[in-house]
C-alpha cells in the first residue's frame, strides 16, 4: 500500500473503505531476518530472559516532529523478526501524521516441545519488561525523553496479537488501544476492569483454524460481557493472514488517539462506552449507543461511525 493510500485514510469513512478494498499486506516468512536498519533507525538487544531466548527491537521516529505523543508497537507472528516493520512506509506515514515513534519487535522462544505455545507472549514473565527497557533506552538515545512514559498503540499478527492482549492485561495504563489478530494461545481469560477499559479490536479470519476462531471469540465474549470496549471483527474470506485488518486498525487507531490523549498529568483519558456505537454480530448493522438500553444481542463496541462502517464492510465481505 502506498503512503498516499494512508493519507486518504485520514479523510473520512469512504477513504477507509477504499483503502480496505484495494490493499493487501505481504507477510514476511517466519524465520526470515529483518533487513538492515535504515538511516535514523536505532536498535536494542536484550539478554535472554525467563520466557524468551531473543528480544530485539528497532526504533524509528519522524524527523523534526518535536515532542512525540505515542509509540506504535509492531509485533509479528510466531518467533518472527518484525524489526523491519519499523521502516515500513505505511507505518512511517501514519507515524509522521500523528507524531508517533515506531518500535518493531523480534521475540523468539527458547526451544520447547510445544512450539505452537509461544512463551514470550506471556509478557508478565519478562518479555514485557524487555520491551519497556528497550523503549526507555530509545527515549534517551533519540533525545525524545517523553517516550519513556508515552502510550502505546499495539499492532500485531497472530502471536503478535497474543503479545498485545497479554500486555494490556499486564499494564493497561500504558496502552491507548490494541489489536488482537487471529492468534491462538492466550494466558489470560477475564482481563481486569482496567484492561477492559482499553479500546481494542479482535480480528478473526472466517477461514482460519476453528480453534483460533473459538479462542478469540471466547475472549471477546467473556470480556465484552464485562463491559470491555472491544470489537470482534470477522473477515469472512480470510485464513491466517493479515488481510484487511491493518487498514481497519489504522482507522481505529486514528480515531481513538484524540479520545485517549491529554489526560491529567499526561495520563490516558477514559472513553465513555455511550459515546460509541454497537455493531450487531448477527445482523452486521450498527447503531449509536447514546442513552439506549444495552443490546441483548452479541455486539461489538466501536468508537466512531467511520470505524463502524469499516467494521461493517469487513463483516459483510463487501468490496
Amino acid at each position: 500500500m502506498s503512503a498516499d493510500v494512508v493519507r486518504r485514510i485520514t479523510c473520512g469513512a469512504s477513504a477507509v473503505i477504499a483503502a480496505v478494498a484495494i490493499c493487501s499486506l505481504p507477510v514476511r516468512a517466519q524465520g526470515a531476518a529483518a533487513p538492515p536498519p535504515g538511516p535514523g533507525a536505532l536498535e536494542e538487544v536484550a539478554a535472554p530472559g525467563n520466557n524468551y531466548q531473543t528480544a530485539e527491537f528497532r526504533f524509528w521516529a519522524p524527523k523534526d516532529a518535536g515532542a512525540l505523543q505515542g509509540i506504535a508497537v509492531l509485533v509479528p507472528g510466531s518467533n518472527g523478526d518484525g524489526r523491519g516493520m519499523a521502516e515500513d512506509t505505511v507505518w512511517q506515514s501514519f507515524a509522521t501524521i500523528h507524531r508517533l515513534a515506531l518500535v518493531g519487535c523480534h521475540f523468539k522462544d527458547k526451544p520447547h516441545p510445544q512450539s505452537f505455545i509461544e512463551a514470550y507472549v506471556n509478557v508478565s514473565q519478562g518479555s514485557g519488561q524487555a520491551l519497556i527497557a528497550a523503549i526507555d533506552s530509545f527515549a534517551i538515545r533519540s533525545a525524545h525523553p517523553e517516550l519513556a512514559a508515552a502510550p502505546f498503540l499495539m499492532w500485531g499478527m497472530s502471536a503478535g496479537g497474543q503479545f498485545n492482549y497479554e500486555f494490556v492485561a499486564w499494564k493497561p495504563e500504558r496502552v491507548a488501544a490494541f489489536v488482537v489478530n487471529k492468534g491462538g494461545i492466550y494466558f489470560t481469560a477475564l482481563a481486569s476492569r482496567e484492561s477492559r477499559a482499553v479500546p481494542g479490536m479482535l480480528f478473526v479470519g472466517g477461514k482460519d483454524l476453528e480453534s483460533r476462531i473459538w479462542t478469540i471469540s471466547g475472549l471477546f465474549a467473556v470480556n465484552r460481557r464485562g463491559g470491555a470496549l472491544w470489537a470482534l471483527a470477522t473477515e469472512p474470506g480470510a485464513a491466517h493472514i493479515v488481510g484487511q485488518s491493518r487498514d481497519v486498525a489504522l482507522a481505529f487507531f486514528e480515531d481513538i488517539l484524540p479520545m485517549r490523549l491529554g489526560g491529567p498529568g499526561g495520563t490516558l483519558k477514559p472513553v465513555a462506552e455511550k459515546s460509541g456505537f454497537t455493531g450487531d454480530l448477527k445482523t452486521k448493522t450498527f447503531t449509536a449507543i447514546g442513552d439506549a438500553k444495552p443490546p441483548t444481542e452479541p455486539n461489538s463496541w466501536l468508537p466512531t461511525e467511520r470505524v463502524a462502517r469499516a467494521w461493517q464492510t469487513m463483516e459483510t465481505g463487501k468490496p
Side-chain angles (χ1 to χ4, degrees):
M1 179 165 64
S2 69
D4 181 62
V5 171
V6 174
R7 293 188 187 98
R8 292 203 301 274
I9 288 175
T10 67
C11 297
S14 61
V16 174
I17 303 306
V20 168
I22 67 175
C23 297
S24 62
L25 176 64
V27 179
R28 182 177 301 280
Q30 296 301 316
L42 303 174
E43 295 210 317
E44 286 286 334
V45 178
N50 180 55
N51 71 327
Y52 62 89
Q53 178 63 40
T54 300
E56 300 176 316
F57 310 93
R58 184 173 297 172
F59 171 92
W60 180 90
K63 292 182 179 179
D64 305 318
L68 300 173
Q69 60 180 358
I71 305 166
V73 177
L74 312 173
V75 194
S78 182
N79 296 290
D81 191 341
R83 289 175 294 169
M85 297 166 72
E87 296 176 274
D88 181 293
T89 56
V90 171
W91 282 110
Q92 288 187 350
S93 295
F94 184 80
T96 300
I97 291 167
H98 299 290
R99 296 185 11 251
L100 305 172
L102 302 176
V103 173
C105 303
H106 176 206
F107 288 102
K108 189 174 181 179
D109 263 351
K110 298 176 181 179
H112 62 89
Q114 293 182 303
S115 59
F116 67 93
I117 301 176
E118 295 89 354
Y120 67 82
V121 309
N122 194 6
V123 301
S124 65
Q125 302 304 303
S127 52
Q129 189 56 49
L131 170 62
I132 290 174
I135 288 173
D136 287 346
S137 179
F138 288 140
I140 295 170
R141 294 175 61 197
S142 67
H144 281 288
E146 69 277 9
L147 294 180
F152 299 165
L153 295 173
M154 303 197 76
W155 160 263
M157 169 64 190
S158 193
Q162 297 165 202
F163 183 96
N164 297 349
Y165 179 88
E166 296 298 339
F167 196 98
V168 171
W170 180 52
K171 287 196 176 295
E173 70 279 2
R174 194 69 193 267
V175 184
F178 74 103
V179 162
V180 163
N181 203 347
K182 308 175 182 76
I185 301 294
Y186 298 83
F187 291 83
T188 302
L190 178 64
S192 68
R193 183 186 296 270
E194 294 77 13
S195 301
R196 298 196 301 270
V198 179
M201 292 199 80
L202 284 65
F203 293 98
V204 297
K207 295 183 178 180
D208 203 352
L209 291 178
E210 288 191 356
S211 62
R212 294 182 181 127
I213 296 172
W214 292 347
T215 297
I216 294 175
S217 298
L219 289 175
F220 169 78
V222 69
N223 286 283
R224 181 71 183 119
R225 180 70 176 86
L229 301 182
W230 300 354
L232 182 67
T234 301
E235 186 174 355
H240 198 62
I241 60 172
V242 171
Q244 299 175 0
S245 63
R246 183 182 65 174
D247 306 302
V248 176
L250 285 167
F252 168 65
F253 286 156
E254 182 171 78
D255 285 5
I256 281 292
L257 269 175
M259 297 181 182
R260 295 283 277 154
L261 298 179
T267 59
L268 289 165
K269 294 188 293 186
V271 178
E273 183 173 11
K274 290 186 175 183
S275 68
F277 293 73
T278 56
D280 191 296
L281 297 177
K282 291 184 177 180
T283 65
K284 314 302 183 188
T285 58
F286 63 88
T287 56
I289 299 174
D291 294 324
K293 293 181 179 180
T296 58
E297 299 297 328
N299 69 93
S300 289
W301 182 86
L302 302 153
T304 63
E305 183 176 356
R306 179 173 80 141
V307 174
R309 291 191 183 280
W311 168 88
Q312 183 181 54
T313 298
M314 173 178 276
E315 284 276 340
T316 56
K318 294 179 180 179

